[in-house]
Amino acid sequence: MSKKYRTYTKEFKLEALELLRTSGESAAQVERDLGISEGLLLKWRDRYQVKATNGTASLEPSDLARRRPRSGGCGGS
């Protein structure tokens, strides 16, 4: 039986990261409020940079994410 993973749009990720930044709540609390997995917000924060241009925000891979090779095997992130 294969495991199903939820996917999130870039817009959802942007809004979640903005909520984390502005709410004053912990990442764990924001995750509970949004019904997303524990640790996901911090992973998104580390993986993406939020870039604002012309009043709109976008997600781009962070320099750290570009340098870190992705593991395809067991135990990878």
Side-chain angles (χ1 to χ4, degrees), residues 8-59:
Y8 300 96
T9 64
K10 285 186 177 184
E11 292 79 14
F12 180 85
K13 292 175 184 179
L14 277 170
E15 290 178 19
L17 289 170
E18 182 65 15
L19 184 60
L20 175 63
R21 188 179 70 78
T22 61
S23 70
E25 299 287 339
S26 68
Q29 183 60 50
V30 174
E31 289 163 344
R32 283 191 295 271
D33 292 346
L34 295 176
I36 61 178
S37 300
E38 183 178 329
L40 200 50
L41 279 177
L42 298 181
K43 181 186 274 188
W44 290 344
R45 185 193 65 191
D46 293 343
R47 185 174 290 170
Y48 301 109
Q49 291 178 353
V50 178
K51 300 259 182 174
T53 44
N54 300 328
T56 60
S58 65
L59 288 177

